Amino acid sequence: MSGSHQDSTPLSPRWRQAVILVMIFGFSLLIWVTAKTYAGAPPIPARVVDGAGHVLFTGEDIKDGQEVFLKYGLMEHGTLWGHGAYLGPDYTAEYLHRQAEIGRDVLAQARYGKAFRDLDPAQALEVSGLLASQTKQNRYDPGSDTLRFTEAETTAYRTQTAEWKAYFSGDKPAVGLPAKFIQDEGELRNLTAYFAWATWATVAPRPGKDYSYTNNWPYEPLVGNTPTASTYLWSAMSLIALLGGLGLILFIFGKFDYLGWGGEAGWKHAKEGRLHAWTLTPSQKAVGLFFAVVALLFLGQAALGGVLAHYRVEPGGFYGFDLARILPYNLARTWHLQLAIFWIATAWVGGGLFLAPLVGGAEPKGQKAGALLLLGALALVVFGSLFGEFAGINGYLGGLWFWLGHQGSEYLDLGRFWQLLLAVGLIFWLFLMFRALRPAMKGGEQGELPTLFLYAAIAIPLFYVPALFYGPRTNFAVIDNWRFWIIHLWVEGFFELFATVLVAVMFYQLGLVTAKSATRLVYLDAILYLAGGIMGIGHHWYFTGQGTLNMGLAASFSALEVVPLTLLTLDAWDFIRLQDKNCEDCGKPLAARQRWAIKFLIAVGVWNFVGAGVFGFLINLPIVSYFEIGTTLTANHGHAAMFGVFGMLALAVLVFCLRELKGDRAWERVEPAIRFGFWGLNVGLGLMLLLDLFPGGVIQLWDVLSHGYWHARRLDYLMGGAFHTLEWIRIVADTVFLLAGALPIAYATLRLVFSPEPKDAA
């Protein structure tokens, strides 16, 4: 091709070898921790009995209760072991606090014949100590597979059976849910049994240890649940890992100044790439339809975000309308998260299909038909799963709820059938990518870049497979293990790597960087992201059934995740320089057509550092995570990282492809909307963080420290004081984001896609 200047020497094979070694080392540790999760998960006893040996509930009741929890999407309402949604309570923390209150009264009556509140200080101190001593004992007998409850635990279970029944099926609806949401009394009993078991795991010491199955989470001083020594120790050690990693990488970048997008010659010898003289292929023209879908899904997801935010200021009504009857909070949040994954993934799938023929140099026969078939399959998965989640939550699917309805695991809510269909679609997409990239993989001036493009694409369907490794009756500790293999490793690891390859291919095809520089950067990012990111997944597992081995490894490696995110500030500066890069031969700015795609990439660099780096590390320390998990600080990180990084990346790909699909006249008509939308999204997201999510999260964290985790998660706290005021103020940010950001971008996208003016008519 007449593309950019090629480096005279090939890239050292040590880059590829280093990536392979990092992956072998990281996955060896991760598989080891996962195997220990199976071995060390809290046991589900065959029966739970009271002091007299009478059966309170069975292991089958616990598993049935977990199915109720998952079927009705309760993880998208509240949290269990800190994971889930934030409007409802944390079911384990709430159950534990009520167990402590009830237990104090039981012990006070038994010892002094009066309620706890009527005891004098010395008596109250004695009863509190006795309660903590009894609670922090593991009465599970593996020989008989029986768990024995104390009198206090038995009374608490019986009392809370009635309380949780009233919460989910009473005339007064639970926050964000319709009245009488769960009406089957058997399901309600089993659900309470499940909460009782999950709560027992938070306080019962592991055999031979002085901490519980959840490392003493949640914070509940009434029963002696406080941070472990390991939580403090590994928080300090992770800081050492961070400082050491930063020092090492800054030394390396100082010594080898060719690292980065410019490479050794990337800024000096830029020439027009293949893209400037490329004639669009039929499949590339069809890809515009993918981005029309992206625009509609993005707009819907943003609107649902506004609905969710309003539930946190008026949980009983939407400006006077009882929205929970038709769109309860758990369904709205399910759709909000699912649509986010769908529109971002669709943008990247579309970007891959657009760039693959360009890299391969030709259009394979039937590629357009394949792309349209994939789009139809995608539409079936999206709308089929969304309807299935609605039907499953409302009990319309009977025993098929897990397969066609709502699986109940946050982010992996879509039914197993839709998961399998999605996996098949991703494999078909991989086939389309392979047949387009194959001609360029035989070598040539592009070097290893086409092969890396394919390998990064392979990782996406490959690392979605763990979503199929559990069922509705699998131990929740194991479910959450595999769930975060997807959320963290798939989304935050290999999706990010695929996005890096996409950007590298885009810049190379524009002629902005050399193939050697682009390939080196892909390898560098793979090393940096995966070195900390593979085992860093364990910071989600501090308090979900794993022991201190995971805490030590995860705290140290997740600290290293901040290292590449810090370097993204350099990427942002490189992208700024790219905007004005002139062609060596013609003198024209090579990136002039793509200045808005590059601006979105600049935003990615900024938000990656702020959202994933600063806000992510803030909550990754074990001692901070212990108190803040499931608070608004988690949402603060989630919004800044999920949309600020992956969303902005997806929009960068969208803008890049649409700019190349359409002519100048069509683009000029919508460019003001693109500009307006770009600033609206960034300003709106910034206001969400500054006006509500960050300060609200800090206030909520303070309440956890002051009154206990249960208190900061109760509706009484959420609906009062400064925290509630900040939630109201957030309406300004949401309005800016939706009306000045998402709406203009969706308008511009749809107008461009359905504009009759193609690129060659410019």
Side-chain angles (χ1 to χ4, degrees):
M1 75 182 238
S2 62
S4 52
H5 170 83
Q6 298 303 307
D7 297 359
S8 57
T9 57
L11 190 66
S12 170
R14 293 182 179 178
W15 284 100
R16 180 171 59 255
Q17 294 164 3
V19 173
I20 294 172
L21 289 174
V22 165
M23 292 185 66
I24 291 173
F25 177 72
F27 278 107
S28 296
L29 289 178
L30 186 60
I31 292 170
W32 182 29
V33 170
T34 297
K36 291 186 74 66
T37 301
Y38 277 86
I44 299 176
R47 64 197 64 81
V48 178
V49 301
D50 61 15
H54 300 129
V55 175
L56 297 172
F57 52 89
T58 68
E60 290 303 304
D61 294 334
I62 295 171
K63 294 175 183 178
D64 289 344
Q66 179 170 285
E67 290 199 6
V68 175
F69 174 75
L70 298 174
K71 178 173 70 172
Y72 289 106
L74 297 183
M75 199 176 185
E76 296 290 11
H77 172 255
T79 55
L80 191 126
W81 293 347
H83 292 291
Y86 317 127
L87 182 65
D90 181 89
Y91 304 110
T92 42
E94 182 66 26
Y95 188 104
L96 179 59
H97 185 72
R98 285 292 296 132
Q99 178 176 295
E101 291 178 329
I102 295 165
R104 289 189 309 183
D105 280 333
V106 169
L107 293 175
Q109 287 288 348
R111 186 164 290 256
Y112 297 107
K114 50 187 175 182
F116 179 81
R117 65 176 178 273
D118 297 325
L119 301 180
D120 63 42
Q123 293 171 334
L125 184 62
E126 180 186 0
V127 167
S128 296
L130 181 59
L131 174 68
S133 175
Q134 287 187 1
T135 304
K136 300 294 285 184
Q137 292 183 31
N138 191 338
R139 294 180 174 81
Y140 171 68
D141 177 17
S144 62
D145 203 9
T146 300
L147 172 61
R148 188 177 299 275
F149 271 5
T150 64
E151 183 182 356
E153 290 171 325
T154 300
T155 304
Y157 165 70
R158 288 171 173 157
T159 302
Q160 292 201 67
T161 298
E163 292 177 349
W164 287 109
K165 176 183 177 181
Y167 184 80
F168 286 114
S169 68
D171 293 330
K172 181 181 179 181
V175 54
L177 299 177
K180 302 184 183 299
F181 181 56
I182 304 174
Q183 300 185 43
D184 186 282
E185 292 199 10
E187 288 187 332
L188 290 164
R189 282 195 304 272
N190 292 336
L191 182 61
T192 306
Y194 180 61
F195 291 164
W197 167 80
T199 301
W200 166 80
T202 67
V203 288
R206 287 181 177 273
K209 305 294 183 182
D210 62 353
Y211 52 84
S212 75
Y213 292 98
T214 61
N215 288 306
N216 288 1
W217 190 93
Y219 177 52
E220 181 50 84
L222 293 183
V223 296
N225 242 26
T226 55
T228 65
S230 295
T231 304
Y232 289 105
L233 172 65
W234 288 112
S235 296
M237 297 300 289
S238 70
L239 293 174
I240 295 175
L242 169 63
L243 295 175
L246 281 175
L248 177 62
I249 202 66
L250 290 176
F251 172 80
I252 292 173
F253 265 69
K255 179 176 176 59
F256 304 104
D257 58 0
Y258 56 79
L259 298 175
W261 284 105
E264 292 156 312
W267 303 118
K268 300 176 183 178
H269 304 289
K271 295 184 178 181
E272 285 191 339
R274 175 182 286 164
L275 186 59
H276 293 275
W278 182 258
T279 299
L280 293 173
T281 67
S283 73
Q284 287 179 313
K285 294 176 182 178
V287 162
L289 295 174
F290 281 79
F291 295 112
V293 172
V294 168
L296 294 174
L297 297 182
F298 174 40
L299 196 59
Q301 190 246 342
L304 284 167
V307 170
L308 294 176
H310 197 81
Y311 262 118
R312 291 172 66 87
V313 293
E314 283 190 310
F318 189 78
Y319 298 106
F321 175 72
D322 185 10
L323 185 63
R325 286 191 299 109
I326 58 173
L327 185 60
Y329 181 87
N330 56 341
L331 181 60
R333 191 171 190 271
T334 296
W335 285 353
H336 179 65
L337 296 183
Q338 291 298 287
L339 287 176
I341 294 172
F342 283 143
W343 77 259
I344 291 171
T346 302
W348 291 357
V349 165
L353 291 175
F354 179 85
L355 290 170
L358 188 62
V359 174
E363 169 105 340
K365 185 178 180 180
Q367 187 79 347
K368 177 181 178 181
L372 293 175
L373 178 62
L374 180 62
L375 182 63
L378 175 68
L380 178 62
V381 171
V382 170
F383 295 107
S385 65
L386 294 179
F387 176 77
E389 286 153 358
F390 162 79
I393 280 179
N394 285 284
Y396 299 148
L397 297 177
L400 294 175
W401 65 270
F402 183 78
W403 282 90
L404 298 177
H406 197 300
Q407 272 198 50
S409 292
E410 184 193 28
Y411 284 102
L412 299 179
D413 304 276
L414 68 168
R416 181 58 53 86
F417 171 76
W418 307 112
Q419 277 187 332
L420 291 170
L421 199 58
L422 177 60
V424 171
L426 289 173
I427 292 171
F428 182 62
W429 168 70
L430 181 61
F431 168 72
L432 295 176
M433 293 286 290
F434 169 73
R435 65 200 301 266
L437 292 170
R438 182 170 51 182
M441 293 171 61
K442 299 175 182 179
E445 60 185 11
Q446 297 183 71
E448 299 177 61
L449 200 55
T451 304
L452 288 176
F453 198 6
L454 180 66
Y455 286 166
I458 289 173
I460 292 178
L462 178 63
F463 285 97
Y464 189 70
V465 172
L468 311 177
F469 287 177
Y470 62 85
R473 300 176 76 82
T474 303
N475 191 298
F476 188 77
V478 175
I479 289 178
D480 234 38
N481 182 281
W482 291 119
R483 188 171 72 91
F484 279 111
W485 271 66
I486 309 303
I487 298 173
H488 183 99
L489 199 58
W490 190 57
V491 176
E492 297 182 34
F494 289 98
F495 251 24
E496 185 131 21
L497 186 59
F498 179 72
T500 299
V501 179
L502 273 181
V503 174
V505 170
M506 289 190 300
F507 285 176
Y508 174 72
Q509 296 298 334
L510 282 169
L512 291 167
V513 296
T514 65
K516 181 178 178 180
S517 296
T519 304
R520 181 196 293 117
L521 189 87
V522 171
Y523 280 132
L524 176 64
D525 276 7
I527 293 168
L528 293 176
Y529 281 125
L530 299 180
I534 293 177
M535 193 56 237
I537 185 177
H539 73 256
H540 300 285
W541 301 332
Y542 289 151
F543 314 114
T544 59
Q546 284 79 1
T548 54
L549 170 68
N550 169 73
M551 182 177 289
L553 290 172
S556 301
F557 280 96
S558 66
L560 294 178
E561 290 184 279
V562 180
V563 174
L565 300 176
T566 302
L567 295 177
L568 283 171
T569 57
L570 302 179
D571 278 358
W573 175 244
D574 284 347
F575 294 153
I576 292 172
R577 295 166 66 194
L578 276 172
Q579 294 181 103
D580 303 319
K581 186 61 189 171
N582 289 328
C583 173
E584 185 183 59
D585 296 331
C586 63
K588 297 184 296 184
L590 291 172
R593 286 174 57 85
Q594 291 295 348
R595 60 181 175 272
W596 285 108
I598 292 176
K599 287 186 186 298
F600 274 104
L601 291 175
I602 294 170
V604 170
V606 173
W607 287 116
N608 221 332
F609 175 69
V610 174
V614 176
F615 290 147
F617 182 71
L618 170 67
I619 65 175
N620 278 1
L621 290 174
I623 190 60
V624 179
S625 181
Y626 179 85
F627 292 106
E628 75 73 36
I629 187 172
T631 69
T632 303
L633 277 180
T634 304
N636 177 66
H637 160 62
H639 282 74
M642 184 68 178
F643 178 77
V645 179
F646 302 109
M648 289 292 185
L649 267 171
L651 293 176
V653 173
L654 176 146
V655 170
F656 177 91
C657 294
L658 289 180
R659 183 66 184 97
E660 296 303 327
L661 280 170
K662 296 299 177 180
D664 291 342
R665 288 192 300 273
W667 180 260
E668 288 167 1
R669 286 193 290 267
V670 301
E671 187 173 13
I674 296 288
R675 178 175 60 248
F676 197 73
F678 171 81
W679 290 111
L681 292 174
N682 281 280
V683 171
L685 179 59
L687 289 176
M688 281 186 209
L689 306 180
L690 291 174
L691 297 181
D692 177 32
L693 295 178
F694 181 68
V698 172
I699 292 172
Q700 195 174 17
L701 175 60
W702 180 261
D703 192 76
V704 172
L705 294 167
S706 302
H707 301 104
Y709 186 79
W710 63 274
H711 185 271
R713 287 296 306 274
R714 276 190 174 176
L715 186 64
D716 292 343
Y717 174 79
L718 299 181
M719 293 297 117
F723 183 89
H724 191 235
T725 301
L726 291 174
E727 294 278 2
W728 266 115
I729 293 173
R730 179 181 162 176
I731 195 172
V732 175
D734 289 350
T735 301
V736 171
F737 186 91
L738 182 60
L739 299 184
L743 196 59
I745 292 294
Y747 160 78
T749 300
L750 294 173
R751 184 166 181 180
L752 275 174
V753 169
F754 297 107
S755 167
E757 184 183 3
K759 176 184 177 181
D760 51 274

